[in-house]
């Protein structure tokens, strides 16, 4: 079974020694940002994880191998190929293994590979969720189903308003996923610190989050946790401005009939283009902030 899982030497050693490890996804590299910003950001995020005492494990599928821990060359390869690398979620993994192909892993697929490797803490920017209009499109991200079954804590900056945030929270409740606000009782909305919706629990320290994660993992009943870390105030965007831009992107997607796995990357790309890069800057800053928090949680978890 394990011959398709490839853990880098550094990550394998850290795990064997019980040292803190933080998983990082790769859809954000190939599909979430333009080259070369995507590669620079991916390497910087790894550095932030290191600076905060943990070992980064960037996750992707390369040549049919499920990889936990990428070299700089592999990150450069994924970033340069960009949209040519297919976006890989749970449904895609077996096919990519069999065909020996590459895949940029979503939150769902990254959680699976992190879990196979024995990593419990994962840092990303934004998760997939219940899309606006899901009542008829039934577009619910596989990320939410993964959070329901796979014991990995996902640190994010909340849910973008490309999604129906209220329905996303309802779905997570149904699926038994605890939504934790880091030092906040309100779910952040990615570019902004507020969404108008409450989290389930406000927790103020990485140590307490690690204790909850330990209990969750030790119960051994499956399922992950969502940790929402608000974007630092100095990088947060004006809510009306960004919501207006998101609405514009959504109506363009509707006009063009974009659906399925294409919709999220389409909207992310459109938003970046119509905000002239402002949102990309905020996006990068919130990922760095999440990396810092994830490393601290991983460190506390290693000491549990
Ligand atoms: N939302 C963001 N940024 C992202 C994504 C979502 O704000 O980069 C990416 C993540 O990789 C996430 C995926 O797992 O999109 C969700 O895609 P879908 O909605 O098709 O499940
Ligand atoms: Mn979808």
């Amino acid at each position: 079974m394990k011959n398709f899982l490839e853990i880098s030497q550094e990550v394998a050693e850290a795990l064997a020694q019980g040292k803190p490890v933080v998983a990082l996804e790769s859809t954000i590299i190939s599909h979430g940002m333009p080259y070369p910003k995507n590669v620079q950001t991916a390497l910087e995020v790894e550095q932030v994880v290191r600076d905060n005492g943990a070992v980064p494990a960037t996750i992707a599928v390369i040549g049919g191998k499920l990889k936990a821990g990428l070299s700089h060359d592999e990150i450069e390869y994924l970033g340069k190929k960009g949209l040519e690398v297919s976006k890989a979620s749970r449904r895609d993994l077996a096919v990519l293994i069999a065909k020996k192909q590459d895949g940029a892993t979503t939150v769902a697929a990254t959680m699976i590979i992190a879990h196979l490797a024995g990593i419990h803490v994962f840092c990303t920017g934004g998760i997939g969720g219940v899309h606006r209009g899901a009542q008829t499109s039934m577009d619910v991200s596989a990320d939410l189903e993964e959070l329901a079954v796979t014991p990995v804590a996902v640190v994010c900056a909340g849910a973008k308003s490309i999604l129906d945030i209220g329905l996303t929270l309802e779905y997570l409740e149904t699926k038994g996923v605890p939504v934790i606000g880091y030092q906040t009782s309100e779910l952040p909305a990615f570019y902004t610190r507020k969404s108008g919706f409450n989290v389930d629990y406000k927790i103020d320290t990485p140590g307490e989050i690690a204790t909850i994660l330990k209990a969750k993992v030790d119960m051994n009943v499956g399922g992950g946790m969502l940790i929402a870390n608000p974007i630092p105030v100095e990088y947060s965007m004006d809510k009306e401005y960004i919501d207006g831009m998101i609405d514009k992107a959504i109506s363009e997607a509707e006009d063009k009939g974009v659906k399925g796995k294409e919709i999220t990357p389409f909207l992310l790309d459109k938003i970046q283009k119509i905000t002239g890069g402002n949102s990309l800057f905020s996006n990068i800053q919130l990922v760095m902030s999440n990396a810092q928090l994830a490393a601290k949680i991983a460190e506390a978890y290693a000491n549990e």
Side-chain angles (χ1 to χ4, degrees):
M1 188 290 273
K2 296 269 155 119
N3 65 354
F4 49 71
L5 179 65
E6 259 182 34
I7 306 179
S8 73
Q9 196 183 337
E10 186 194 16
V11 171
E13 278 173 17
L15 289 168
Q17 293 165 14
K19 288 193 180 147
V21 177
V22 172
L24 300 162
E25 64 151 303
S26 48
T27 294
I28 193 171
I29 304 176
S30 298
H31 295 246
M33 290 180 191
Y35 179 80
K37 260 265 137 36
N38 55 359
V39 172
Q40 282 163 17
T41 304
L43 296 176
E44 262 174 60
V45 179
E46 288 204 340
Q47 192 56 47
V48 171
V49 170
R50 288 184 200 285
D51 292 346
N52 286 275
V55 171
T58 301
I59 287 178
V61 186
I62 297 183
K65 297 288 182 194
L66 309 184
K67 311 263 282 183
L70 299 186
S71 66
H72 287 196
D73 284 350
E74 287 168 328
I75 289 177
E76 171 73 24
Y77 168 78
L78 289 176
K80 210 165 196 171
K81 277 194 112 182
L83 299 177
E84 278 175 48
V85 182
S86 70
K87 174 179 161 192
S89 195
R90 172 180 269 269
R91 68 170 180 186
D92 307 297
L93 292 178
V95 178
L96 294 175
I97 291 170
K99 288 182 171 284
K100 299 190 167 38
Q101 287 173 348
D102 303 330
T105 50
T106 63
V107 168
T110 305
M111 286 178 77
I112 293 171
I113 299 171
H115 176 58
L116 291 174
I119 303 168
H120 291 105
V121 181
F122 165 21
C123 161
T124 189
I127 56 155
V130 179
H131 279 264
R132 296 201 210 164
Q135 294 89 333
T136 50
S137 70
M138 290 188 68
D139 190 349
V140 176
S141 173
D143 292 354
L144 301 186
E145 298 295 327
E146 208 57 52
L147 280 160
V149 296
T150 301
V152 170
V154 179
V155 178
C156 69
K160 267 202 186 89
S161 56
I162 60 171
L163 302 170
D164 186 319
I165 297 179
L167 290 187
T168 300
L169 286 170
E170 289 292 348
Y171 204 88
L172 288 166
E173 182 194 358
T174 301
K175 295 287 177 174
V177 179
V179 178
I180 290 172
Y182 178 62
Q183 298 181 344
T184 180
S185 50
E186 187 167 342
L187 184 77
F190 199 86
Y191 298 116
T192 58
R193 294 172 62 86
K194 299 204 173 291
S195 67
F197 293 93
N198 287 335
V199 295
D200 303 327
Y201 301 98
K202 170 179 181 278
I203 308 284
D204 293 332
T205 64
E208 285 171 282
I209 295 173
T211 307
I212 297 167
L213 177 60
K214 183 79 168 44
K216 180 90 189 169
V217 171
D218 286 355
M219 275 199 304
N220 201 21
V221 291
M225 295 170 28
L226 194 63
I227 294 130
N229 181 30
I231 183 170
V233 186
E234 60 273 36
Y235 305 119
S236 70
M237 298 184 75
D238 181 71
K239 187 170 178 348
E240 261 171 49
Y241 168 75
I242 193 69
D243 282 352
M245 295 296 153
I246 289 171
D247 287 346
K248 226 165 133 177
I250 290 178
S251 58
E252 195 169 329
E254 279 167 3
D255 290 348
K256 292 202 161 126
V258 185
K259 333 189 242 296
K261 71 187 283 192
E262 308 306 336
I263 183 87
T264 300
F266 177 91
L267 293 173
L268 299 180
D269 181 57
K270 260 292 125 127
I271 293 163
Q272 265 166 37
K273 286 193 175 125
I274 59 184
T275 58
N278 282 346
S279 66
L280 179 59
F281 180 70
S282 292
N283 194 343
I284 291 170
Q285 298 306 322
L286 67 83
V287 174
M288 300 303 166
S289 161
N290 292 349
Q292 204 175 353
L293 175 60
K296 288 180 185 158
I297 295 169
E299 185 175 35
Y301 185 81
N303 294 324
E304 273 287 323

